[in-house]
Amino acid sequence: MADLSTTYMGLHLKNPLIVGSSGLSAEFEDIVELAKHEPGAIVLKSLFEEEIIYEMQQDMLQMTARPYLYPETFDYMDSELRKDRIRDYLELIQKVKNTLSVPIIASINCVSDQKWTYLAKEIELAGADGLELNLFILPSDLSRSAQEMEELYFSIIRKVRQATNLPIAVKISYYFNNLAQFIKKLSEENIEAIVLFNRFYSPDIDLERFEITTGNVLSTPGEISLPLRWIAMMSGRINCDIAASTGVTSGYNMAKLILAGATATQVVSELYRGGFVKIRLMLKELESWMEKHKFSSLADFRGKMAQTESVDPAAYERVQFMKHFSNFIRYNP
Ligand SMILES: Cc1cc2nc3c(=O)[nH]c(=O)nc-3n(C[C@H](O)[C@H](O)[C@H](O)COP(=O)(O)O)c2cc1C
């Protein structure tokens, strides 16, 4: 039998299938259920900086209708609400860690380096095995330069690093000026892993109702090409582990991403679509592919198809449909 174990963020994982952060890992009962299917690790639903702020604002709006409101009351509400949301999250980590042996990675979605970074220590004390920072600042601010935006990422990471000894993974998007250089610089920040890439809620327009609706919530298998390209290009060139996220829908896709250089792969959409049983099915697919190709461990083939190892390194940088596809492109009724 092939050995599927791997080391990710310094954690020993039974296998490279990590349940990614989503509503699937928000509740204790669901996490227990997920663990029965033996994934390598589980990333908890993110604690959202905006979510906390939103809750606070709602309460403040209600309170402004009251005549006895003083600025201090705002301050009080601030900290009380904060404590509730955070306390629930820390209790969840404690309860899950007291019940299960699967590695648990907490997750924080953050857009600033203010106020919240002390939480990293609390998360460590609650017993989490690692911390994933889901960092995304939509690059739509006309008044801030690309460099200013990037600085914020580094500032957040440094503050969190100071606060905790937990292994840190940073989950990012692909909206950067020079993505390769940015990923390289991130990896030099004393973090243990980078997750490529987050996938976002996307707006759509309802043509009849003139409403903004939700775009494709779940990914499709073809979307693997985005992380595949970048993992293949960055593998062997950066100082930390890489986990793949987006389009990991089968054991075969997992094999491709590991060939490209991923240490682990995160799955969300496929579990929403096919249920938690998909975890074992995907691992079975990976194992049978390994056996077919006589690989006894992940180390036997990890990074074998990375750009640095490839016989055709330019293939990962090809972006235009030029002569290679000229026959395909020609209209042929
Ligand atoms: C319903 C839903 C909720 C999600 N919530 C989070 C979240 O709280 N934090 C996070 O980092 N990513 C979140 N994600 C993104 C996933 O972790 C993952 O990066 C993305 O869905 C791509 O992986 P997939 O192709 O396997 O779905 C969410 C995704 C979905 C579909």
Side-chain angles (χ1 to χ4, degrees):
M1 252 175 63
D3 175 10
L4 297 187
S5 68
T6 187
T7 303
Y8 172 64
M9 305 170 77
L11 305 171
H12 178 76
L13 312 190
K14 252 189 201 174
N15 63 63
L17 191 155
I18 298 177
V19 178
S21 178
S22 75
L24 298 173
S25 53
E27 304 292 333
F28 176 74
E29 292 72 22
D30 293 338
I31 298 166
V32 170
E33 208 46 48
L34 276 169
K36 287 183 189 160
H37 299 267
E38 301 193 68
I42 299 174
V43 186
L44 299 183
K45 170 78 183 156
S46 301
L47 186 62
F48 278 70
E49 201 183 322
E50 297 102 313
E51 184 184 34
I52 297 166
I53 290 164
Y54 175 79
E55 276 184 33
M56 291 184 329
Q57 281 168 347
Q58 291 304 304
D59 273 299
M60 282 184 197
L61 282 176
Q62 281 171 15
M63 286 173 71
T64 42
R66 296 179 203 155
Y68 51 82
L69 194 69
Y70 300 99
E72 299 87 298
T73 322
F74 279 143
D75 287 342
Y76 173 74
M77 281 302 294
D78 241 63
S79 57
E80 283 309 298
L81 273 166
R82 217 168 260 270
K83 268 186 216 144
D84 262 11
R85 185 68 189 95
I86 292 165
R87 194 182 51 216
D88 288 352
Y89 200 71
L90 297 174
E91 278 176 8
L92 176 69
I93 296 172
Q94 267 173 351
K95 203 166 157 194
V96 166
K97 282 305 299 175
N98 287 339
T99 318
L100 305 170
S101 60
V102 62
I104 296 294
I105 301 170
S107 167
I108 300 183
N109 174 296
C110 41
V111 290
S112 83
D113 58 1
Q114 306 298 311
K115 291 182 181 175
W116 67 268
T117 49
Y118 77 94
L119 247 186
K121 189 73 200 168
E122 302 286 324
I123 285 173
E124 179 183 339
L125 295 173
D129 297 289
L131 175 61
E132 186 175 282
L133 298 178
N134 171 10
L135 294 184
F136 183 54
I137 302 148
L138 188 72
S140 59
D141 184 343
L142 295 175
S143 65
R144 274 203 285 185
S145 69
Q147 198 185 349
E148 278 174 79
M149 302 280 270
E150 286 183 9
E151 278 309 317
L152 190 51
Y153 284 78
F154 294 108
S155 171
I156 293 172
I157 292 168
R158 283 172 202 155
K159 285 203 177 159
V160 176
R161 180 72 291 166
Q162 267 174 12
T164 179
N165 294 319
L166 279 177
I168 297 175
V170 176
K171 183 178 184 183
I172 57 166
S173 77
Y174 37 85
Y175 295 106
F176 294 95
N177 268 351
N178 182 343
L179 183 57
Q181 191 190 56
F182 182 73
I183 292 173
K184 171 99 182 105
K185 275 163 57 186
L186 272 187
S187 79
E188 287 158 3
E189 283 295 323
N190 205 0
I191 57 172
E192 279 68 23
I194 297 180
V195 184
L196 304 177
F197 294 102
N198 205 346
R199 184 176 182 276
F200 302 102
Y201 165 91
S202 302
D204 198 356
I205 291 179
D206 184 319
L207 284 175
E208 298 309 316
R209 295 168 186 260
F210 295 90
E211 280 173 4
I212 301 167
T213 58
T214 310
N216 304 324
V217 177
L218 301 183
S219 68
T220 52
E223 290 181 52
I224 186 199
S225 54
L226 185 68
L228 182 81
R229 175 197 293 257
W230 289 96
I231 291 171
M233 293 208 295
M234 299 317 296
S235 171
R237 295 191 167 110
I238 63 172
N239 301 348
C240 65
D241 291 337
I242 307 177
S245 172
T246 295
V248 185
T249 51
S250 67
Y252 306 112
N253 271 2
M254 291 173 70
K256 289 180 190 180
L257 291 159
I258 297 166
L259 278 168
T263 306
T265 58
Q266 299 194 356
V267 185
V268 170
S269 292
E270 193 57 21
L271 304 185
Y272 271 109
R273 250 190 313 262
F276 298 173
V277 288
K278 279 278 172 178
I279 295 173
R280 284 223 177 89
L281 289 174
M282 289 171 70
L283 289 170
K284 209 74 221 124
E285 286 169 346
L286 173 65
E287 202 179 346
S288 64
W289 175 84
M290 284 171 66
E291 280 164 6
K292 182 175 168 202
H293 293 276
K294 309 214 172 348
F295 294 127
S296 55
S297 73
L298 301 186
D300 288 351
F301 66 100
R302 180 181 299 120
K304 211 176 158 63
M305 299 288 290
Q307 192 180 35
T308 47
E309 305 295 316
S310 171
V311 284
D312 183 11
Y316 289 118
E317 293 187 28
R318 201 167 284 140
V319 285
Q320 306 294 352
F321 295 101
M322 281 170 59
K323 68 176 182 352
H324 268 274
F325 299 100
S326 53
N327 288 340
F328 177 74
I329 288 168
R330 236 174 124 190
Y331 179 58
N332 194 2

